Amino acid sequence: MDTLNKLNQEIITCRKCPRLVEWREEVARIKRKAYKDEEYWGKPVPGFGDPQARVLVVGLAPGAHGSNRTGRQFTGDASGGFLFPALYRAGFANQPSAESRSDGLILKVMYITASGRCAPPANKPSPGELNNCQPYLEREIEILKPKVIVCLGRIAFERILKIYSVRNSAWKFAHGATYELMTAKFPKGDRWLLCSYHPSQQNTLTGKLTVKMFDDIWKKAKSLIE
Ligand code: SF4
């Protein structure tokens, strides 16, 4: 826990990407009308969850008025509104809602993090910005040694392939695709990468990602840690 806390303190004070620092702070200053009385977080958003996690969930980056406002991954926006009920149904969360850092949400055997920690304009971090942020994700993996990594979206999937130096062209991003991660540290495998569409409104409102499809991901994650 101390190591994770130390890492998170480092993440919160990071200013490596000038474009993102400017954007996240500007959004926090100007605010959306609906949240004008709230104090925005406006800093890099650290991971959160169970320090004994066996499942690591990797998203894209904070939403400008979601976790850039609340300071916790997927908290306070529509993506979280789709994610947390699913995690609750699967038994990974103690409640189906996530509104603020003090809402009592507890994750069980799960830790949620992101490929990039600062809200990017148009939800698009640049490859250079993702490279800047990658060491934080590597350190989380190093500390937690998760048995299953669930990648929410193609960008998270590609980041994990990079971190694990996977150069197998047969590994493609597809919803539900599952790959065994064999690494120098885990030569016997039994470490898994599971792909899911990201629970963004773009996917959930269009039916590209349905409740049933998402529930199946968490059932699969559960079966892989049992
Ligand atoms: S995106 Fe990552 S590396 Fe860039 S400023 Fe934010 S925390 Fe630092």
Side-chain angles (χ1 to χ4, degrees):
M1 189 63 178
D2 280 356
T3 336
L4 268 178
N5 280 340
K6 215 170 138 218
L7 172 61
N8 286 342
Q9 284 314 311
E10 210 179 303
I11 290 170
I12 289 167
T13 55
C14 182
R15 301 181 71 83
K16 265 191 253 175
C17 309
R19 183 184 82 116
L20 299 186
V21 171
E22 197 184 332
W23 174 254
R24 76 187 190 210
E25 292 179 356
E26 188 186 323
V27 169
R29 217 172 25 249
I30 294 171
K31 305 181 184 181
R32 180 177 276 173
K33 211 171 160 194
Y35 307 122
K36 66 176 175 32
D37 296 331
E38 288 188 32
E39 188 169 339
Y40 273 51
W41 176 255
K43 297 187 278 273
V45 180
F48 87 103
D50 186 346
Q52 304 299 324
R54 307 193 72 208
V55 179
L56 179 68
V57 179
V58 185
L60 170 57
H65 302 281
S67 49
N68 187 52
R69 171 173 59 89
T70 61
R72 196 177 65 191
Q73 300 286 346
F74 284 99
T75 298
D77 64 13
S79 298
F82 198 84
L83 173 67
F84 289 107
L87 296 183
Y88 175 67
R89 287 191 295 276
F92 285 115
N94 69 330
Q95 62 185 45
S97 61
E99 299 306 328
S100 72
R101 295 198 308 286
S102 56
D103 60 9
L105 174 67
I106 297 169
L107 298 179
K108 303 171 209 167
V109 296
M110 176 174 280
Y111 197 82
I112 301 182
T113 188
S115 310
R117 319 289 167 143
C118 293
N123 285 327
K124 283 201 178 96
S126 71
E129 288 159 351
L130 290 172
N131 287 343
N132 285 347
C133 222
Q134 183 174 314
Y136 297 134
L137 181 54
E138 288 178 44
R139 281 165 64 191
E140 282 168 332
I141 292 171
E142 184 63 34
I143 294 166
L144 294 166
K145 299 181 177 46
K147 185 164 179 192
V148 179
I149 298 179
V150 180
C151 296
L152 298 178
R154 184 184 301 276
I155 288 176
F157 173 71
E158 286 169 356
R159 213 25 66 179
I160 294 297
L161 295 195
K162 208 167 171 202
I163 289 174
Y164 279 81
S165 307
V166 175
R167 289 185 190 88
N168 186 340
S169 59
W171 288 36
K172 305 258 190 246
F173 177 79
H175 184 79
T178 310
Y179 302 101
E180 188 168 13
L181 287 162
M182 298 230 191
T183 65
K185 278 191 187 147
F186 300 105
K188 289 192 186 141
D190 203 25
R191 292 287 184 279
W192 301 91
L193 191 164
L194 173 55
C195 303
S196 168
Y197 289 141
H198 190 282
S200 64
Q201 280 192 310
Q202 210 180 346
N203 289 334
T204 57
L205 293 181
T206 56
K208 185 172 178 183
L209 178 64
T210 64
V211 167
K212 159 90 174 63
M213 286 164 71
F214 212 33
D215 281 349
D216 287 346
I217 292 292
W218 306 113
K219 275 184 204 150
K220 177 82 187 186
K222 209 144 205 200
S223 73
L224 289 169
I225 56 168
E226 278 167 4

